Structure formats: structure tokens, C-alpha cells
Amino acid sequence: MLWNLTDGRAYTAGELALSANISPQSASNHLTKLIEADLLKVEKQGRHRYYRFARPEVAYAVEAIANLMPVKKELNTKASFENGDIQFCRTCYDHLAGKVAVDITNALVKQKYCN
């Protein structure tokens, strides 16, 4: 659920449960604990409740933890792009992320626009 929130948007508990492949009840329990820990905040719009990170540092911490994941030796491109191509091209708060962002950065470095 936390990884899904790194795109900077707010999601309902149902959407987050679906993304994590868990029951809505389980998602609700986890979301309550994350709010109590001041990692998430909830915004009410009509009868809907939307969850997002309480502050940008939480997203940075989630991304830092994701960097600890073991590197796969072989990339299965079909599996990589099944979640709405989020790994291919996405944003994360104040920066681009995913393969497209890496390609753009590499091109800028190659053309000596940045180092």
C-alpha cells in the first residue's frame, strides 16, 4: 500500500487494499496504525476517505527501503509493466521516477547538462 502512494496521489482504503491484494478489513487496520504513527493522513471528500503520506519524508523513506530489495538478475518486462506501467514512467512528489526518469537523467548527463 505504501509503495502505491509514492506516486503522490491519494487513494481510498479499497483501492489500497486491492493494490496490496489484501482484504478491505486488513487494509483498514493497517491504515489506522499508519495514521496513528503519523506516517499517513486521511482527507475526507463527501463520503469518501482518501489516504496519502503525511509528509514527503515518508515517501523518501519508502523509496529508500525499496532500494534494499535484492536486484533481479533477469528483468521480466511483461511482469514489470502490469501495474499501469507505473515502473516505466511515474512521478514521486517532486521528481520523476521509473525507467523513463533514469533514461532522461542518463541523456542529460551524456550531453553534459548535469553531472
Side-chain angles (χ1 to χ4, degrees):
M1 291 190 305
L2 293 176
W3 183 253
N4 208 56
L5 291 169
T6 59
D7 68 0
R9 298 184 321 179
Y11 291 92
T12 65
E15 291 170 324
L16 293 170
L18 187 62
S19 73
N21 198 27
I22 60 175
S23 71
Q25 295 82 4
S26 180
S28 180
N29 289 334
H30 290 296
L31 292 168
T32 298
K33 290 178 183 181
L34 291 165
I35 290 170
E36 289 171 358
D38 197 32
L39 297 175
L40 296 183
K41 64 182 177 180
V42 63
E43 300 168 349
K44 295 178 183 177
Q45 290 184 358
R47 63 183 198 134
H48 298 286
R49 296 168 52 116
Y50 291 91
Y51 297 85
R52 66 173 60 246
F53 289 126
R55 54 193 181 284
E57 293 81 7
V58 179
Y60 302 144
V62 170
E63 285 190 335
I65 291 169
N67 286 324
L68 298 174
M69 297 291 293
V71 177
K72 292 182 182 178
K73 292 184 180 185
E74 186 176 316
L75 178 63
N76 180 345
T77 55
K78 183 177 179 186
S80 296
F81 304 123
E82 287 179 356
N83 188 12
D85 295 338
I86 194 167
Q87 294 177 8
F88 184 69
C89 184
R90 64 183 180 86
T91 60
C92 182
Y93 284 90
D94 61 351
H95 63 275
L96 292 174
K99 183 182 181 326
V100 170
V102 171
D103 291 344
I104 290 171
T105 302
N106 288 339
L108 291 171
V109 168
K110 184 177 180 181
Q111 302 221 357
K112 298 183 181 170
Y113 285 107
C114 62
N115 50 5

